[in-house]
C-alpha cells in the first residue's frame, strides 16, 4: 500500500469582538404544535410569531434553532432567544408512530417485524461503520440497528444467524439465531485486532465492546452487506440482502446502495460514517427542524443516507464536519424521544432569559470557547412508565466546524452541576434554588476540538442507584463552547435504559 501522508486541517476562525450582540431570528417560539398569531417583540420592535400551545403530547427532541446571529456593530450585552422543543408526529393509543412521513425518507417500515420472522430489507440496517481508525486498517466496526418497530429475535433463512460480509464475499461476523435486538437497539461487530473504541460508554457499567468480533481486515472503501443468513456463497444474494453500504469505488453493486458514498482518502483518523437521523445529510448551514424528527433515514442511497464525521474535521473526500464515532451494542441506551418530555428550567420566564439560557463572554480557547459559552438548561421528564437508570443525549444536528461566515461554530463540552434560582408555578409566588446537573461529553474517542455531529452527552447523575422514577424529572444543562458567532442550531436525540 502506498504511504499515506496524514493531513490534519488547521482550524482558524475569523476574529469577532466579545461585545458582539447575538440577535435572534423570529422562529420556533414554543414547545408544542401551535396556532400562530402576530405580536411584536418588545426588545427589538420587530413583529414576530407568538404561539398558542396545543395539547399534543410527546416531545421528540431538544432544539435550539437559528440563533446566535452576530452583529459586531452593536456594543451591547448579548440577547439570545427562541429555543423551542420540537414534537413528534401524533401517536396512536398504542404509542406507535402514525403513517405521516417526509417524502423520500423512510422513518418506519410499512409493517413491524414479528418476533419470530426472518427480517426483510430495511428492517435491520447498517447504522454506523468504519473500515479504518487511529489504530490503522484493522480499527473497524459495523453497527446494526433494529428499525422494524418491534423487538426482533434473529431467525435466519439458512445457517445459524444473519451474516455481515464484505464485498470479497467473506463473512466477517454473524448475529446468532435467538439473539434479541430491541426495537431501536443495536448490535455491534468489531475487528478485535485493532478496534480502539471498546471503552466508549454503553449501558450501566458496560462499554461499546463488540457483540461479535472478526479478525480479517475490510479494505478501504470496500462494500459491506447484511444478509438474512450466514451460509455465504450463492446465499449472499440481493433477494437475501437486508442492507448494504459501500463507496463509489466498490464495483459489486450487491455491497452498496445507489452509487455509494464518496470514496475516502485512507487517513488513519477517528472517523465514522453514521446514518443520518435528522434528514439534512449533515449540512451545517441548513436551518430549521429535522425533517425526520430524529428517526433515521433510509432512502436506499448510501450517498444520501450516511454522514462522514471525524474528531478533527478532516477533509477526506466525503464532506467535512466535526463529529465523533459513537458505536452502540446490545447494552447501549436506546433512542426514546417519544417517552420523554422537555420543559424550560424556569417556565415562568422566557426561553431566551436566564436561567433557561445563559451567555458567558469569558474567552477560554483551551476549552474550545474562544468567544465564550452558551449554557442551555432544561427539565427532562420521564414518561416511560418505569424507572430510567441511564440517560444520555446524542447530537443529531448542529452548526459546527467548518462553519462559514455568519454561521455559529459550536462545540459541545462537559459541564458540572450549578445551583440556579428559579421562579416556578404559581409564577410570582416566590423563588427557590435547584441544582442543574452537568452533562459529560462521552469519550473515547478523544475529542480535543470539542463535540460535534454524533457526539453524546451523558447525564451522569442518573444511575442504577439513583434512577429517575416514572413521572419524575431531572434538571440538566448543555454547555456549548463558541468558536464563531452566527446563526445556529442544536438538536439532540434522547437515549435511555430502564
Amino acid at each position: 500500500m502506498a504511504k499515506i501522508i496524514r493531513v490534519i486541517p488547521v482550524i482558524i476562525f475569523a476574529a469577532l469582538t466579545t461585545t458582539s450582540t447575538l440577535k435572534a431570528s423570529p422562529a420556533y417560539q414554543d414547545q408544542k404544535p401551535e396556532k400562530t398569531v402576530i405580536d411584536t417583540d418588545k426588545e427589538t420592535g420587530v413583529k414576530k410569531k407568538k404561539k398558542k400551545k396545543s395539547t399534543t403530547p410527546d416531545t421528540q427532541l431538544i432544539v435550539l434553532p437559528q440563533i446566535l446571529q452576530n452583529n459586531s456593530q452593536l456594543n451591547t450585552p448579548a440577547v439570545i432567544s427562541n429555543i423551542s422543543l420540537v414534537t413528534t408526529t401524533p401517536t396512536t393509543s398504542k404509542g406507535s408512530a402514525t403513517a405521516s412521513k417526509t417524502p423520500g425518507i423512510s422513518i418506519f417500515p410499512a409493517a413491524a417485524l414479528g418476533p419470530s420472522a426472518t427480517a426483510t430489507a430495511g428492517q435491520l440496517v447498517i447504522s454506523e461503520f468504519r473500515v479504518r481508525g487511529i489504530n490503522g486498517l484493522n480499527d473497524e466496526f459495523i453497527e446494526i440497528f433494529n428499525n422494524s418497530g418491534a423487538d426482533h429475535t434473529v431467525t435466519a433463512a439458512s445457517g445459524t444467524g444473519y451474516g455481515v460480509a464484505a464485498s470479497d464475499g467473506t463473512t466477517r461476523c454473524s448475529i446468532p439465531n435467538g439473539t434479541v435486538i430491541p426495537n431501536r437497539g443495536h448490535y455491534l461487530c468489531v475487528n478485535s485486532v485493532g478496534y480502539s473504541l471498546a471503552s466508549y460508554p454503553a449501558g450501566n457499567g458496560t462499554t461499546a465492546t463488540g457483540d461479535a468480533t472478526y479478525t480479517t481486515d475490510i479494505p478501504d472503501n470496500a462494500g459491506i452487506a447484511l444478509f438474512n443468513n450466514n451460509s455465504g456463497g450463492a446465499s449472499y444474494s440481493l433477494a437475501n440482502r437486508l442492507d448494504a453500504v459501500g463507496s463509489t469505488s466498490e464495483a459489486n453493486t450487491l455491497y452498496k446502495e445507489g452509487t455509494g458514498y464518496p470514496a475516502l482518502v485512507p487517513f488513519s483518523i477517528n472517523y465514522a460514517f453514521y446514518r443520518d437521523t435528522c434528514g439534512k445529510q449533515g449540512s451545517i448551514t441548513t436551518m430549521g427542524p429535522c425533517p425526520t424528527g430524529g428517526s433515521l433515514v433510509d432512502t436506499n442511497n448510501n450517498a444520501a443516507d450516511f454522514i462522514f464525521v471525524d474528531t478533527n474535521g478532516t477533509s477526506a473526500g466525503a464532506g467535512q464536519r466535526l463529529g465523533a464515532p459513537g458505536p452502540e451494542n446490545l447494552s447501549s441506551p436506546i433512542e426514546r424521544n417519544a417517552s420523554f418530555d422537555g420543559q424550560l428550567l424556569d417556565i415562568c420566564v422566557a426561553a431566551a432569559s436566564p436561567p433557561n439560557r445563559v451567555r458567558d463572554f469569558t474567552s477560554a480557547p483551551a476549552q474550545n470557547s474562544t468567544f465564550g459559552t452558551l449554557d442551555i438548561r432544561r427539565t427532562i421528564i420521564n414518561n416511560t412508565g418505569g424507572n430510567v437508570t441511564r440517560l444520555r443525549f446524542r447530537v443529531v444536528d448542529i452548526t459546527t466546524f467548518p462553519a462559514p461566515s455568519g454561521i455559529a461554530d459550536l462545540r459541545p463540552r462537559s459541564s458540572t452541576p450549578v445551583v440556579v434560582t428559579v421562579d416556578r408555578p404559581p409564577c410570582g409566588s416566590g423563588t427557590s434554588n435547584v441544582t442543574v446537573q452537568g452533562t459529560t461529553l462521552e469519550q473515547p474517542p478523544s475529542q480535543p476540538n470539542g463535540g460535534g455531529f454524533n457526539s453524546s452527552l451523558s447525564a451522569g447523575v442518573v444511575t442504577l442507584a439513583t434512577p429517575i422514577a416514572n413521572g419524575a424529572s431531572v434538571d440538566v444543562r448543555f454547555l456549548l463552547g463558541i468558536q464563531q458567532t452566527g446563526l445556529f442550531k442544536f438538536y439532540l436525540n434522547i437515549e435511555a435504559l430502564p
Side-chain angles (χ1 to χ4, degrees), residues 164-392:
V164 178
S167 51
D168 57 9
T170 300
T171 302
R172 293 311 197 269
C173 64
S174 295
I175 310 176
N177 283 335
T179 301
V180 178
I181 305 176
N183 182 35
R184 300 187 302 278
H186 299 85
Y187 190 91
L188 186 64
C189 295
V190 307
N191 186 332
S192 59
V193 175
Y195 178 59
S196 65
L197 299 175
S199 297
Y200 175 69
N204 289 302
T206 65
T207 57
T209 54
D211 297 307
T213 62
Y214 61 97
T215 58
T216 302
D217 167 54
I218 300 173
D220 292 309
N221 297 313
I224 304 165
L226 171 66
F227 296 97
N228 66 10
N229 68 90
N230 61 1
S231 300
S235 295
Y236 285 174
S237 65
L238 185 61
N240 291 329
R241 191 183 75 181
L242 303 180
D243 195 31
V245 60
S247 77
T248 53
S249 64
E250 173 56 63
N252 189 340
T253 58
L254 179 62
Y255 289 87
K256 64 182 180 182
E257 291 186 336
T259 57
Y261 63 82
L264 294 179
V265 177
F267 298 136
S268 293
I269 55 179
N270 250 323
Y271 87 88
F273 278 99
Y274 77 95
R275 193 175 284 272
D276 188 0
T277 49
C278 177
K280 300 178 187 175
Q281 299 181 346
S283 171
I284 293 171
T285 58
T286 302
M287 299 294 172
C290 287
T292 71
S295 295
L296 64 79
V297 173
D298 186 16
T299 66
N300 299 319
N301 179 358
N302 295 157
D305 294 349
F306 283 88
I307 298 169
F308 173 84
V309 294
D310 91 289
T311 56
N312 282 312
T314 306
S315 179
Q320 185 179 10
R321 61 190 63 80
L322 185 66
E328 298 180 83
N329 60 15
L330 284 172
S331 73
S332 296
I334 295 169
E335 182 264 294
R336 300 293 298 274
N337 290 335
S339 297
F340 287 85
D341 193 9
Q343 295 182 355
L344 298 175
L345 179 70
D346 187 341
I347 65 173
C348 293
V349 300
S353 303
N356 296 320
R357 187 177 347 162
V358 175
R359 175 73 163 95
D360 186 340
F361 284 93
T362 304
S363 179
Q367 283 76 49
N368 300 298
S369 305
T370 299
F371 296 100
T373 59
L374 186 64
D375 190 354
I376 311 303
R377 288 86 174 263
R378 287 291 183 270
T379 298
I380 307 300
I381 303 167
N382 172 18
N383 294 324
T384 64
N387 284 351
V388 167
T389 63
R390 175 85 163 95
L391 180 65
R392 74 176 174 192

Side-chain angles (χ1 to χ4, degrees), residues 63 81 93 108 114-115 119 149-150 153 174 180 227 256 310 317 326 332 347 406 408 420 426 438 471 475 481 494 498:
V63 182
S81 63
S93 60
F108 292 101
T153 301
S174 295
V180 178
F227 296 97
K256 64 182 180 182
D310 91 289
S332 296
I347 65 173
V420 171
D475 298 323
I494 298 174

Side-chain angles (χ1 to χ4, degrees), residues 7 19 143 381:
V7 180
T19 56
E143 175 192 281
I381 303 167

Side-chain angles (χ1 to χ4, degrees), residues 398-456:
I398 187 172
T399 53
T400 189
F401 177 80
S405 177
I407 301 295
D409 178 355
L410 303 182
R411 311 292 180 86
R413 48 180 282 196
S414 296
S415 58
T416 56
V418 294
V419 176
V420 171
T421 300
V422 296
D423 176 12
R424 287 178 168 173
C427 297
S429 62
T431 61
S432 60
N433 290 337
V434 298
T435 299
V436 184
Q437 303 296 336
T439 53
T440 300
L441 181 66
E442 295 188 317
Q443 301 179 83
S446 175
Q447 295 169 66
N449 300 302
F453 285 90
N454 201 44
S455 293
S456 56

